[in-house]
Amino acid sequence: MPSPLRRPDGLPERLGGDETLVMGVLNVTPDSFSDGGQHDDAPAAIEHGHRLIRQGASIVDVGGESTRPGAPRVDEDEELRRVLPVVAALAAEDVVISVDTMRASVAAASVEAGALIVNDVSAGRADIEMGREAARLRTRRGTPPVFIAMHWRGHSDVMNDLAHYEDVARDSADELAQRLAMLREAGVEDRFLVADPGLGFSKTGAQNWEVLADWEAMASHGLPLLIGASRKRFVSALGVDRDLATAAISAYSAEHGAWAVRVHDVESTLPAVRVGDRLRRSMRR
């Protein structure tokens, strides 16, 4: 049986219901693995945010630092310069914004500019202030931001060297559980937490498929789940259209009860997600 679809608190009512949400990726970077340089100035990025919403995205995930394997880090000022104008412009139009950052300062500035979600691929490991900041912050809705915590072992320059596990699905779930416990100790409430198994991060191609296949391990935290497989190397390695392959993973994720899928191509994913939603509702009967 599929897992129940769980939702975090603190988001607009229009994001309720029993459907898996589609989060559109908006990289305001010159070097992201898939779309680097396509939206690396504010006007182009804002227009792409509009395009993602028109295509059916419920959330736009704005990031100013590439996390592709081997990517160098950008400094704080540059990350802020990239993301804040985009976050502010789209949030002013009532777009639900997630900021993809590992820095507490960028999270705070983005929430002040209107972001409702902080998407930290390090789950607070890259910046020891992140957990306390996430607990302290309040969005314009008067609630803490939703905090997405991903399984992560190290920065982009070393993560490919860290893919050693006894049982990748169970080990990564256990490690994420430890991070979630630390976030709770810092004051982040469960009702605002989302778990992400970290596909593509410190995992080989084969290991990513093992993680996806063990839904029980991914869902073991009892939290809403975000699945981010879009255009990653293990998907592209199938030798088929990477967006259609991503859509298939998105349908699988929706069928199993994912809260949201994070994708670059919303248009191909949205129909697949609705099929997965429909199957899940039928399987519960």
Side-chain angles (χ1 to χ4, degrees):
M1 292 293 289
S3 301
L5 191 152
R6 296 181 172 88
R7 297 198 176 282
D9 285 350
L11 295 176
E13 288 183 8
R14 69 179 186 270
L15 301 192
D18 194 32
E19 292 183 338
T20 292
L21 302 179
V22 177
M23 175 186 284
V25 177
L26 178 47
N27 290 317
V28 194
T29 60
D31 58 345
S32 291
F33 76 93
S34 173
D35 55 358
Q38 294 182 25
H39 323 114
D40 61 346
D41 66 80
I46 293 165
E47 174 51 36
H48 188 58
H50 294 152
R51 187 178 305 116
L52 292 169
I53 294 298
R54 289 196 300 270
Q55 291 175 348
S58 297
I59 302 165
V60 174
D61 190 46
V62 180
E65 179 177 20
S66 174
T67 54
R68 65 175 172 79
R73 295 213 69 186
V74 299
D75 65 34
E76 176 184 349
D77 289 343
E78 177 62 14
E79 187 180 359
L80 287 165
R81 185 194 69 79
R82 292 176 181 180
V83 302
L84 284 185
V86 181
V87 170
L90 292 173
E93 299 173 11
D94 202 30
V95 174
V96 177
I97 296 295
S98 165
V99 61
D100 181 356
T101 184
M102 292 181 280
R103 288 189 170 100
S105 58
V106 176
S110 298
V111 168
E112 184 177 354
L116 299 181
I117 303 170
V118 175
N119 181 11
D120 181 358
V121 299
S122 80
R125 290 185 64 186
D127 185 340
I128 60 171
E129 296 299 322
M130 182 64 92
R132 288 189 289 271
E133 192 72 2
R136 181 192 67 80
L137 288 171
R138 291 297 178 268
T139 70
R140 293 176 181 177
R141 297 176 60 83
T143 65
V146 171
F147 190 86
I148 301 171
M150 194 191 80
H151 174 255
W152 184 89
R153 283 185 162 185
H155 286 289
S156 298
D157 57 342
V158 297
M159 68 179 181
N160 283 347
D161 300 324
L162 304 175
H164 305 289
Y165 304 86
E166 293 293 325
D167 179 326
V168 63
R170 300 290 162 165
D171 292 352
S172 57
D174 288 347
E175 290 171 16
L176 181 54
Q178 294 171 21
R179 288 305 310 160
L180 290 166
M182 295 185 73
L183 289 167
R184 293 179 183 112
E185 288 178 10
V188 182
E189 298 178 58
D190 259 30
R191 62 197 181 103
F192 297 104
L193 277 171
V194 172
D196 179 339
L199 298 173
F201 288 78
S202 297
K203 299 171 186 69
T204 66
Q207 287 170 341
N208 287 303
W209 292 111
E210 291 177 43
V211 171
L212 266 175
D214 194 340
W215 197 270
E216 182 181 347
M218 290 193 293
S220 62
H221 311 292
L223 296 172
L225 272 176
L226 172 69
I227 302 297
S230 183
R231 295 182 178 175
K232 291 186 175 175
R233 289 182 182 180
F234 78 100
V235 177
S236 299
L238 293 172
V240 298
D241 183 284
R242 60 186 181 175
D243 287 323
L244 294 181
T246 297
I249 295 172
S250 297
Y252 165 84
S253 300
E255 179 187 347
H256 283 76
W259 164 65
V261 292
R262 181 182 183 274
V263 302
H264 297 81
D265 188 68
V266 173
E267 217 163 18
S268 61
T269 282
L270 192 61
V273 165
R274 294 297 165 257
V275 169
D277 286 332
R278 187 63 184 82
L279 284 169
R280 172 170 34 83
R281 288 194 290 268
S282 294
M283 291 169 68
R284 286 209 305 263
R285 294 176 182 172

